Amino acid sequence: MPRTPMTQLSPADQVRLSALRRMKAVALGALIFMAIVFVIAFAFQERLDWLAYVRAAAEGGMVGALADWFAVTALFRRPLGLPIPHTAIIPSRKDEIGRSLGEFVETNFLEASVVRAKLSNTAIAQRAGEWLREAPHAERVATEGAAVASAVLNALSDDDVRDLITDLAREHLVSPDWGPPAGAWLGKIVEADAHHGAVDLAVDSISTWLDANAVAFNGLISRRLPSWVPKLAHRFVDDTAYNEAVRFIHAVQADSQHPARLAVDGYLNRLADNLQHDPATRAKLENAKATLFDSPRVGALAAEAWNTAKAGLLTALADPESGLRRRAAQALQEIGARLTTDAALQHRVDMWVSDAAVFLVDRYRHDIASIITDTVERWDPAETTEKIELMVGRDLQYIRLNGTFVGALAGLAIFTIAHALIPGV
């Protein structure tokens, strides 16, 4: 059911309504008082000459009170319900008032030079830094940011994100040919001898394993010997194989130019070249890649990666003591401290904010102002009139009071001047 005027008012509007009614009563009381004074003065002015002046003042007061009552009432409604032209101005011209208000705001407030001048006189970065460097404020921003981030994560569709990750992985990981870039990368590593560390690590690992697993050579070769070979020979063969392996790996460890190391260098160089120029080698790599990243597996990996990342982020964002939240708060404090002390950074931030604000105002000033126009157009005329009257009506009643007193003074002055200039009036 539509709201009728003067119902469902907020507490503040109820207070304004009471004040408005009191002032209306006061203004009406002043008019009635002038009317009573006029009647009395008119009735007895023949007996007491000075009452003519009182009558003139009361008459002017009534005229002033009635004129200003008409003017104030005509703003909000038709006086006495009569269809007098140019009355009920606010309800009848509500949309035009809204458009004028929107144009006024757009012209006088949403103007690039006005915005830039205002922002240039405001130390935005310094004030923001002073506020942000306080630990409670930084924690508050981190908390609000965590809430926003959590809401965004929860709002995202898991299926859409999984499909996006799958598409990105297929576009940037699976679809491109791995051979040339992998070969170029490997060639640069070999050229810079950066692979020697990996070779050393592999040799050291083999040496450590050999030192700790001599028993693994028992029967490794001897089990392949004929059954008629004596058992002692079996043991000798296995020990010899183990010792040769240890001797070989120690030699590789000690000699940076060992043939085995050179053989590895040569193999890696050939592999780097083949990956870039040999179709067969490149085809083998692509087949291995296709086998590893077939479509169902890519989708499963994308889903698992997203679910893991999302769960971890949500847990960290929800925990005020998590490393993520603490580091975010600390980072915000550090930013605030820099904004407070670094003049160059302050200038850059202030200029960036000013440029961004001016850009937004220039581009969207009409759209921003149209919010006022569109909002006023959607208002109900009766409710709009009521709201405006509640806001300014009490002050307008003072116009009625002033009109009463000014009219009385004007009436008295006119009568006095006329009586002085034209005797017998």
Side-chain angles (χ1 to χ4, degrees):
M1 184 176 68
R3 186 177 75 81
T4 58
M6 300 302 179
T7 62
Q8 299 181 11
L9 297 177
S10 67
D13 285 342
Q14 292 287 358
V15 173
R16 295 188 185 100
L17 178 60
S18 299
L20 174 61
R21 287 174 173 172
R22 284 196 300 270
M23 284 307 303
K24 282 185 175 180
V26 171
L28 179 60
L31 173 60
I32 294 174
F33 173 76
M34 289 294 176
I36 294 173
V37 171
F38 173 80
V39 171
I40 294 174
F42 185 82
F44 294 99
Q45 65 180 346
E46 297 296 335
R47 300 179 186 178
L48 300 172
D49 293 341
W50 60 269
L51 284 178
Y53 292 91
V54 176
R55 185 213 68 193
E59 188 175 11
M62 286 192 298
V63 172
L66 289 171
D68 286 341
W69 166 82
F70 181 90
V72 170
T73 303
L75 288 174
F76 304 104
R77 57 189 61 84
R78 297 189 183 280
L80 303 178
L82 300 176
I84 302 174
H86 304 292
T87 58
I89 294 174
I90 290 176
S92 62
R93 301 181 63 184
K94 171 181 67 68
D95 294 346
E96 183 179 345
I97 293 173
R99 286 191 295 271
S100 299
L101 181 60
E103 292 173 359
F104 176 78
V105 171
E106 180 178 355
T107 303
N108 295 278
F109 295 94
L110 300 178
E111 205 278 326
S113 60
V114 174
V115 174
R116 189 177 292 279
K118 178 63 177 177
L119 293 178
S120 64
N121 295 325
T122 305
I124 300 173
Q126 183 176 359
R127 292 183 181 181
E130 291 173 351
W131 186 85
L132 195 57
R133 69 177 178 179
E134 301 293 333
H137 298 160
E139 292 174 0
R140 178 181 176 185
V141 174
T143 299
E144 296 299 332
V148 172
S150 297
V152 171
L153 287 173
N154 286 319
L156 291 175
S157 169
D158 291 343
D159 292 338
D160 291 342
V161 175
R162 181 200 63 199
D163 293 342
L164 175 62
I165 296 175
T166 301
D167 293 341
L168 291 175
R170 185 176 294 109
E171 179 180 355
H172 299 287
L173 184 64
V174 179
S175 297
D177 189 354
W178 283 13
W185 175 73
L186 180 58
K188 291 180 180 179
I189 290 178
V190 175
E191 182 180 356
D193 294 333
H195 65 293
H196 287 171
V199 174
D200 290 339
L201 178 62
V203 172
D204 292 342
S205 299
I206 295 172
S207 177
T208 301
W209 184 87
L210 288 173
D211 291 340
N213 295 275
V215 68
F217 277 75
N218 293 340
L220 182 63
I221 298 176
S222 60
R223 73 168 58 98
R224 293 172 174 80
L225 296 175
S227 57
W228 51 266
V229 175
K231 294 296 183 181
L232 182 61
H234 287 203
R235 178 65 180 270
F236 176 77
V237 170
D238 290 336
D239 290 344
T240 301
Y242 172 74
N243 291 331
E244 287 299 323
V246 171
R247 187 178 299 107
F248 173 79
I249 205 66
H250 286 171
V252 174
Q253 281 183 299
D255 186 4
S256 61
Q257 296 299 317
H258 193 279
R261 288 179 178 271
L262 298 178
V264 171
D265 293 347
Y267 170 76
L268 293 178
N269 274 316
R270 289 192 302 275
L271 179 60
D273 184 72
N274 290 339
L275 286 172
Q276 297 179 79
H277 307 107
D278 182 30
T281 303
R282 291 170 57 178
K284 291 180 181 178
L285 180 61
E286 290 302 310
N287 290 334
K289 180 186 68 176
T291 302
L292 180 63
F293 295 107
D294 59 342
S295 295
R297 190 172 300 173
V298 171
L301 290 174
E304 183 178 354
W306 167 245
N307 292 334
T308 302
K310 179 180 178 181
L313 284 174
L314 288 175
T315 301
L317 291 171
D319 183 8
E321 300 301 323
S322 67
L324 177 61
R325 290 276 293 271
R326 289 199 303 271
R327 282 191 291 272
Q330 292 171 358
L332 289 170
Q333 280 188 269
E334 293 173 359
I335 293 173
R338 284 199 60 195
L339 287 174
T340 305
T341 58
D342 191 337
L345 180 60
Q346 290 176 9
H347 178 72
R348 289 198 299 271
V349 172
D350 288 342
M351 290 301 299
W352 180 85
V353 173
S354 297
D355 292 342
V358 169
F359 171 80
L360 292 174
V361 166
D362 280 341
R363 181 175 288 265
Y364 300 108
R365 57 187 297 183
H366 181 71
D367 295 328
I368 297 172
S370 68
I371 296 176
I372 299 174
T373 303
D374 296 341
T375 300
V376 173
E377 288 180 353
R378 288 194 299 268
W379 286 350
D380 177 73
E383 185 175 354
T384 303
T385 302
E386 173 190 325
K387 287 291 187 182
I388 296 177
E389 187 175 14
L390 286 177
M391 294 299 297
V392 301
R394 179 175 179 273
D395 295 325
L396 292 178
Q397 300 309 310
Y398 283 102
I399 296 178
R400 294 177 58 186
L401 280 176
N402 293 336
T404 302
F405 297 132
V406 171
L409 293 174
L412 177 61
I414 292 171
F415 180 80
T416 301
I417 294 171
H419 191 73
L421 296 178
I422 307 176
V425 175

